[in-house]
């Protein structure tokens, strides 16, 4: 598995096709990182809605194969906003009915922050989740140290 950095537009399109609640207009201005198994895309992360003044950015993730989700790959994908952009908080929204995605988000270290009523249409509520920069650094301190050595 490898992280793909130079295919932002193609990765964003791939992610959009796999997330039914992303508007047809897409993500707008964004940066997307992919995960490939050889030449086959198996996951993608899209960062958009960057607000530099508040140091916040939104994240959306999609995958076709769970093998992508190693700690080192997750660390590399989250290093982009936290280390390269110096983001304070990465946030996203997920339908409350998507139990698998919510469990995965929490397993990565994201915390539930709010529930948005009717966010994805009538009677389709969303859970807003977030990770702050100190939480990222604490959760992945072992990988940071190992990779810095």
């Amino acid at each position: 598995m490898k992280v793909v950095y130079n295919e932002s537009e193609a990765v964003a399109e791939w992610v959009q096709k796999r997330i039914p609640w992303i508007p047809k207009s897409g993500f707008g201005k964004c940066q997307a990182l992919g995960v490939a198994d050889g030449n086959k895309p198996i996951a993608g992360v899209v960062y958009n809605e960057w607000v530099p003044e508040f140091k916040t950015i939104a994240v959306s993730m999609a995958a076709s194969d769970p093998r992508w989700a190693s700690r080192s790959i997750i660390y590399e994908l989250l290093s982009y906003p936290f280390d390269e952009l110096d983001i304070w908080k990465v946030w996203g929204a997920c339908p409350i009915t998507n139990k698998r995605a919510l469990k995965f988000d929490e397993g990565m270290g994201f915390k539930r922050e709010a529930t948005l009523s009717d966010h994805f249409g009538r009677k389709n509520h969303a859970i807003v989740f977030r990770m702050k920069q100190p939480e990222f650094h604490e959760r992945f301190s072992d990988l940071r140290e190992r990779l810095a050595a």
Side-chain angles (χ1 to χ4, degrees), residues 65-119:
D65 185 325
R67 294 178 301 136
W68 77 272
S70 70
R71 277 190 89 237
S72 60
I73 295 286
I74 292 168
Y75 169 76
E76 191 172 348
L77 294 172
L78 291 174
S79 288
Y80 171 72
F82 288 120
D83 293 335
E84 290 187 41
L85 300 179
D86 192 31
I87 292 295
W88 174 250
K89 181 170 81 171
V90 173
W91 68 274
C94 180
I96 200 167
T97 56
N98 193 338
K99 304 295 184 203
R100 185 175 179 194
L102 292 170
K103 183 178 178 182
F104 179 75
D105 295 338
E106 290 173 336
M108 280 195 305
F110 283 88
K111 293 183 168 63
R112 292 181 186 215
E113 187 160 83
T115 302
L116 301 177
S117 196
D118 303 319
H119 187 70

Side-chain angles (χ1 to χ4, degrees), residues 4-16:
V4 178
Y5 290 93
N6 299 323
E7 300 290 330
S8 188
E9 190 173 313
V11 172
E13 185 177 314
W14 188 91
V15 170
Q16 180 183 3

Side-chain angles (χ1 to χ4, degrees), residues 3-147:
V3 175
V4 178
Y5 290 93
N6 299 323
E7 300 290 330
S8 188
E9 190 173 313
V11 172
E13 185 177 314
W14 188 91
V15 170
Q16 180 183 3
K17 288 178 182 176
R18 283 157 180 80
I19 303 177
W21 57 89
I22 299 299
K24 289 182 172 117
S25 58
F27 293 100
K29 186 177 177 184
C30 67
Q31 177 65 38
L33 306 174
V35 180
D37 184 6
N39 290 328
K40 181 182 174 188
I42 62 170
V45 176
V46 178
Y47 295 104
N48 65 326
E49 298 187 36
W50 181 21
V51 182
E53 299 91 327
F54 303 137
K55 294 188 170 198
T56 62
I57 200 164
V59 64
S60 298
M61 299 179 197
S64 62
D65 185 325
R67 294 178 301 136
W68 77 272
S70 70
R71 277 190 89 237
S72 60
I73 295 286
I74 292 168
Y75 169 76
E76 191 172 348
L77 294 172
L78 291 174
S79 288
Y80 171 72
F82 288 120
D83 293 335
E84 290 187 41
L85 300 179
D86 192 31
I87 292 295
W88 174 250
K89 181 170 81 171
V90 173
W91 68 274
C94 180
I96 200 167
T97 56
N98 193 338
K99 304 295 184 203
R100 185 175 179 194
L102 292 170
K103 183 178 178 182
F104 179 75
D105 295 338
E106 290 173 336
M108 280 195 305
F110 283 88
K111 293 183 168 63
R112 292 181 186 215
E113 187 160 83
T115 302
L116 301 177
S117 196
D118 303 319
H119 187 70
F120 295 117
R122 189 169 177 222
K123 296 187 180 181
N124 199 352
H125 311 312
I127 299 293
V128 176
F129 55 89
R130 58 96 176 137
M131 182 183 290
K132 294 181 180 176
Q133 191 180 65
E135 296 164 342
F136 167 73
H137 288 146
E138 181 180 331
R139 183 169 192 84
F140 293 98
S141 62
D142 60 322
L143 287 173
R144 277 177 77 85
E145 292 169 10
R146 189 167 17 129
L147 293 172

